[in-house]
Amino acid sequence: MVVKEKDGKSFAVKMATLVLAGGLVFGSACAFYGCGEAKNGQVSDTSNSESIIEYEGISGGSVKDIVVAEGYTVEIFAAEVQPPYQQGPNALAFDSQGNLYIAPGDYLKVLKIPVGTNIPEEFSAVRVPDLDGVAVDSQDNIIASGTPYVYKFASDGSVIWRVYCPIGNVQLVAVDSDDNAYVGSLGTRIAKIPPDGSSVTVLGNFSHPSEPAVSPDGFLYISQLEVRNVVMATLDTAEIIEVVATGVRAAQPVFDPEDDLFIGDVLTGRVLKISLPDGTISTIASGFTFPRALAFDADGNLFVGDPTDKIIYKISPAPPAVIEATIDIDPDTLNLKSHGKWITVYVELPEGYDVNDIDISTVLLEDAIPAESHPTEVGDSDGDGIADLMVKFDRTAVEAILRPAGEVELVVTGELNDGTEFEGSDIIRVINKGGPSVDNDGDGFTNLEDCNDGDASIYPGAPELCDSVDNQCPGDDGYGLVDEGCGPSGKIVFQTFAGKDSGQNGIYIMNADGSNVTRLTYYNGDAYPALSPDGSKIAFRASRDGNYEIYVMDVDGSNQTNLTRNITSDGYPAWSPDGSKIAFSSRRDGNYEIHIMNADGSNVTRLTNHPATDRAPSWSPDGNKIVFQSQRDDNDYEIYVMDADGGNVTRLTYNTVFDLHPAWSPDGSKIAFTSERDGNFEIYVMDADGSNVTNLTNCRSWDYEPTWSPDGKYIAFETLRGGDTEIYVMDADGSNQINLTNDPKNNHEPSWSQ
């Protein structure tokens, strides 16, 4: 390290040398862009060779052999920029509105890609001779440079001024915080032009200062293409302070939001990051033909223009992995008939993370209910030596989304201050009764009296239907049996939960008459099973790999395979009618959206794009539409339908309460769903256009998650009628409701197939 004194300031000179394999060299005939690939010290002409990019129009095609460093993703932002002209993007710059400006070399007019699109259009009112550079000042004026002039354009493309620049072959341009423009050249000088264009000051005296950039702290960083250096210089005189990198032929240096320097190394086809102030060089991406143009947008995404391939790539920071939190919810048993202000949640993070770093404003329960900003407290509630964060949730809001279904899993999510996400869950028992001596229905009689006296307002003429628990429904024969030789056929798969440590949790399958119950999986987190249309496969949600994923297995439980392999939560799988695709809900884009994929997990495609939660997809029998639940128009879930490609989203239900779990009938004419519009959750059916809504269950207990029999004659559902959750079946008109499972465990989420 060498310390130099300049204008009373000491600068530590740190030189980082980048060693290039094979000593790659460009011949002078290449000028400074548009060349073929350099291999083993030789320049190879690729202009007549077969392109390895397969274009499918703007933003189409493959991402070549681009390899990005861990923590980044890459995609094509715009392809064929801009046919039929000779060159693609030589320089890029964003304005404050997110519009992207392009200096496209030989075409001589500045191009613009408006925010929200990826299609270039002409911007500047006039052509700029030998156009090479483009920059944007603080007023969103566009500075364009090309031998021998520099232009300033207003945001409408009109010319504000044109200045002759006497520094030889004009190259790229950069602006400082005062909107002064700095223009590079292939000679030995840098030109400085004030915002009004009234003068030109020639600065510096060193070889090929062609690619200038201004750092946030007010220094010039200049790439010397010909001598393969990147130097730091003073802003007022362009006098070199230090060499920050050598051995790189750096194109359009730019600064990211963290004030690190990024360059395109056109010798090796790489995008490099120079960490400042230590000068450490790391490769961000490789495999480009000619990474000539670089620019960051306001979100920290790096755009790389390749003039040889006429492509603009977008390199984005990958979303952080979701860390698994330990969640403890108090109370363990929640009686919906009792009173209280808060639901308390204790959050523990794994080793290496600090609960003090949790951003309280991001903490949500069930992706819907925000934690209260206070009271909060860091402590060790369970005495295990690991700090936890106590947060509170409004009890009324929590109770509004719960059902008395025995054991219920609640998911808590949030973020740390650095954006790292966490997720965890706990299981509590939810009940909705006050015991035999309490008057749950408010009719002046206790629950026990209602059962014993045959009160006509509760159970007309049939007191025997009460059995030992209140809230039994008319039509229950008390035995849960179906006459042999008739009734529904096929298989029903469902989830069972008997407690965290019961050893009985997992996915089960049974005949449609409730016989031959067989256990298929043995994990607590296995849920939302879905039988394939031909009955040979079961898709389901599992957390065995550390977060919720979509798995598939054979109908006998064998060959269990993770399909999604995603760092965020995936759930609610639903098979297409032909069994070739699976729709599901995923948080991979920040909130729950509907996606589809092939049945083998390939070709994942996002269908919905809305900041609200979208869940529980179900296909129409012709495969052309998908119905789902969403919170997009208010905080209550409603039922929506869309085309199978995500288009034409249409709302079907309109309520101030929850409508959930839509299920399309096999003939396509009806949609069954769960709704609490009559005061508690019931199974309803409506026409496929949302009309003719009918309550099928009419029960004072909660009924949930309908699924149709393959012939459309029956509907199975989950209900809380005997104190725990059971699977029932009924005729499609709501009659003959019969208990299929009839055991003390909680059985959920039935799915029916042949």
Side-chain angles (χ1 to χ4, degrees):
M1 179 181 294
V2 179
V3 177
K4 292 187 176 182
E5 189 79 9
K6 185 64 183 175
D7 296 335
K9 298 180 181 179
S10 295
F11 299 95
V13 180
K14 295 171 285 293
M15 181 179 295
T17 302
L18 185 68
V19 179
L20 303 177
L24 305 182
V25 177
F26 272 121
S28 59
C30 283
F32 290 90
Y33 43 81
C35 299
E37 295 177 296
K39 299 179 179 178
N40 299 322
Q42 303 296 319
V43 177
S44 59
D45 183 6
T46 61
S47 59
N48 296 318
S49 62
E50 182 179 355
S51 175
I52 59 175
I53 304 296
E54 298 176 359
Y55 294 111
E56 299 173 359
I58 294 298
S59 80
S62 59
V63 190
K64 221 178 144 171
D65 295 322
I66 305 301
V67 178
V68 293
E70 184 177 357
Y72 294 91
T73 62
V74 63
E75 61 184 295
I76 290 178
F77 172 69
E80 295 287 9
V81 182
Q82 62 324 1
Y85 309 111
Q86 292 182 358
Q87 291 197 0
N90 275 322
L92 303 174
F94 280 95
D95 67 12
S96 64
Q97 306 303 310
N99 301 301
L100 179 60
Y101 296 88
I102 306 168
D106 291 346
Y107 182 50
L108 307 183
K109 270 198 175 183
V110 177
L111 301 181
K112 173 183 176 181
I113 297 181
V115 61
T117 76
N118 56 3
I119 301 175
E121 59 186 40
E122 288 188 351
F123 165 73
S124 58
V126 300
R127 296 189 174 192
V128 178
D130 198 17
L131 174 59
D132 268 314
V134 64
V136 180
D137 69 13
S138 65
Q139 306 302 310
D140 281 344
N141 299 310
I142 313 305
I143 317 299
S145 56
T147 306
Y149 296 105
V150 177
Y151 287 75
K152 176 179 278 192
F153 297 99
S155 59
D156 63 358
S158 61
V159 177
I160 298 175
W161 49 251
R162 185 187 75 167
V163 172
Y164 175 75
C165 200
I167 56 173
N169 196 323
V170 170
Q171 293 293 292
L172 269 59
V173 62
V175 295
D176 65 15
S177 59
D178 295 323
D179 290 341
N180 298 298
Y182 297 82
V183 186
S185 75
L186 297 183
T188 61
R189 301 286 185 164
I190 293 270
K192 178 179 179 180
I193 304 173
D196 61 2
S198 60
S199 62
V200 176
T201 303
V202 177
L203 307 175
N205 187 9
F206 52 91
S207 177
H208 291 83
S210 60
E211 322 272 320
V214 179
S215 67
D217 58 351
F219 290 93
L220 272 175
Y221 283 76
I222 303 166
S223 168
Q224 298 173 273
L225 279 180
E226 193 68 11
V227 295
R228 304 178 193 175
N229 284 342
V230 178
V231 300
M232 173 185 176
T234 59
L235 203 59
D236 54 348
T237 63
E239 192 165 351
I240 294 177
I241 299 169
E242 63 174 292
V243 178
V244 296
T246 186
V248 290
R249 204 152 189 257
Q252 195 170 10
V254 293
F255 287 89
D256 73 354
E258 304 298 323
D259 297 347
D260 289 318
L261 184 64
F262 285 68
I263 59 174
D265 185 1
V266 297
L267 276 177
T268 62
R270 294 185 294 173
V271 171
L272 305 176
K273 173 184 176 181
I274 304 176
S275 299
L276 300 175
D278 62 9
T280 301
I281 296 179
S282 55
T283 299
I284 299 302
S286 61
F288 299 98
T289 302
F290 207 77
R292 178 71 175 87
L294 279 72
F296 279 97
D297 68 7
D299 296 323
N301 301 301
L302 176 61
F303 290 72
V304 180
D306 191 321
T308 302
D309 293 334
K310 299 178 181 176
I311 289 177
I312 298 175
Y313 295 92
K314 179 181 178 181
I315 300 175
S316 305
V322 178
I323 60 177
E324 185 175 357
T326 300
I327 304 297
D328 183 22
I329 299 177
D330 183 25
D332 295 325
T333 298
L334 180 63
N335 189 343
L336 299 181
K337 292 297 183 182
S338 64
H339 302 284
K341 184 175 183 180
W342 307 113
I343 299 296
T344 302
V345 173
Y346 298 93
V347 182
E348 283 186 3
L349 298 179
E351 185 177 358
Y353 297 93
D354 188 345
V355 292
N356 289 287
D357 293 333
I358 292 176
D359 181 354
I360 303 295
S361 67
T362 68
V363 179
L364 297 174
L365 188 146
E366 285 297 292
D367 211 35
I369 303 173
E372 300 293 321
S373 59
H374 61 84
T376 62
E377 183 179 46
V378 173
D380 183 11
S381 62
D382 55 4
D384 63 356
I386 301 174
D388 52 41
L389 173 68
M390 180 201 73
V391 292
K392 302 279 189 178
F393 294 90
D394 180 81
R395 180 175 178 134
T396 302
V398 175
E399 289 179 348
I401 68 169
L402 292 178
R403 52 197 166 103
E407 304 282 353
V408 175
E409 181 182 34
L410 297 176
V411 178
V412 177
T413 59
E415 296 180 7
L416 307 188
N417 292 324
D418 65 0
T420 301
E421 299 179 20
F422 68 84
E423 180 174 310
S425 64
D426 192 20
I427 295 173
I428 64 172
R429 183 170 178 81
V430 182
I431 60 175
N432 188 33
K433 55 186 181 179
S437 62
V438 175
D439 179 13
N440 271 6
D441 61 2
D443 66 350
F445 297 91
T446 67
N447 296 336
L448 183 59
E449 288 170 336
D450 281 342
C451 284
N452 290 338
D453 65 10
D455 182 357
S457 68
I458 308 299
Y459 305 117
E464 68 275 12
L465 295 179
C466 282
D467 296 335
S468 61
V469 180
D470 191 24
N471 293 340
Q472 295 286 358
C473 295
D476 179 6
D477 66 3
Y479 296 96
L481 299 177
V482 177
D483 290 340
E484 190 173 65
C486 62
S489 62
K491 299 284 186 180
I492 295 176
V493 65
F494 59 97
Q495 178 220 13
T496 290
F497 192 88
K500 288 183 179 179
D501 303 316
S502 67
Q504 301 179 69
N505 304 329
I507 292 174
Y508 291 69
I509 194 169
M510 63 182 175
N511 295 333
D513 63 1
S515 64
N516 194 27
V517 177
T518 304
R519 186 175 184 178
L520 301 179
T521 72
Y522 294 80
Y523 292 88
N524 287 345
D526 294 351
Y528 301 108
L531 270 164
S532 63
D534 65 2
S536 66
K537 301 282 187 181
I538 299 171
F540 61 100
R541 188 203 75 181
S543 60
R544 58 191 68 177
D545 290 332
N547 61 291
Y548 294 125
E549 305 274 11
I550 304 299
Y551 279 64
V552 70
M553 62 181 169
D554 293 343
V555 74
D556 63 359
S558 62
N559 298 320
Q560 297 181 22
T561 305
N562 185 343
L563 295 184
T564 49
R565 298 190 180 280
N566 183 48
I567 62 174
T568 56
S569 294
D570 301 312
Y572 293 92
W575 294 86
S576 63
D578 63 1
S580 66
K581 297 185 181 299
I582 296 173
F584 62 102
S585 183
S586 177
R587 288 186 68 236
R588 62 189 61 200
D589 295 313
N591 66 300
Y592 281 105
E593 303 279 4
I594 306 299
H595 295 65
I596 60 171
M597 61 182 170
N598 293 338
D600 63 359
S602 63
N603 195 28
V604 175
T605 303
R606 177 176 173 176
L607 297 185
T608 60
N609 189 4
H610 196 278
T613 294
D614 299 323
R615 281 177 167 170
S618 174
W619 297 76
S620 62
D622 62 7
N624 292 328
K625 293 185 179 295
I626 294 174
V627 66
F628 62 100
Q629 68 187 47
S630 177
Q631 291 179 300
R632 60 184 58 203
D633 289 323
D634 48 47
N635 288 327
D636 298 314
Y637 279 108
E638 300 290 346
I639 306 299
Y640 292 74
V641 67
M642 62 182 171
D643 294 342
D645 63 0
N648 298 320
V649 177
T650 303
R651 184 174 177 177
L652 297 182
T653 63
Y654 293 83
N655 280 293
T656 58
V657 295
F658 282 9
D659 292 327
L660 306 161
H661 313 134
W664 222 304
S665 65
D667 67 1
S669 66
K670 303 285 185 182
I671 295 173
F673 63 101
T674 304
S675 179
E676 62 173 344
R677 61 186 63 196
D678 290 335
N680 69 298
F681 286 105
E682 306 272 12
I683 304 301
Y684 286 71
V685 70
M686 61 183 171
D687 291 346
D689 63 0
S691 62
N692 297 322
V693 178
T694 304
N695 187 339
L696 297 183
T697 47
N698 291 294
C699 178
R700 291 175 61 244
S701 288
W702 290 26
D703 302 316
Y704 250 68
E705 307 211 23
T707 180
W708 294 83
S709 63
D711 60 9
K713 295 180 178 180
Y714 305 93
I715 296 174
F717 59 98
E718 142 189 359
T719 183
L720 186 72
R721 303 190 178 194
D724 52 19
T725 310
E726 304 286 0
I727 306 299
Y728 272 56
V729 67
M730 62 182 172
D731 293 348
D733 64 359
S735 62
N736 298 319
Q737 298 175 24
I738 298 172
N739 188 342
L740 294 183
T741 48
N742 198 31
D743 70 43
K745 299 187 292 295
N746 291 293
N747 303 300
H748 306 278
E749 303 150 4
S751 173
W752 201 333
S753 187
Q754 62 188 25

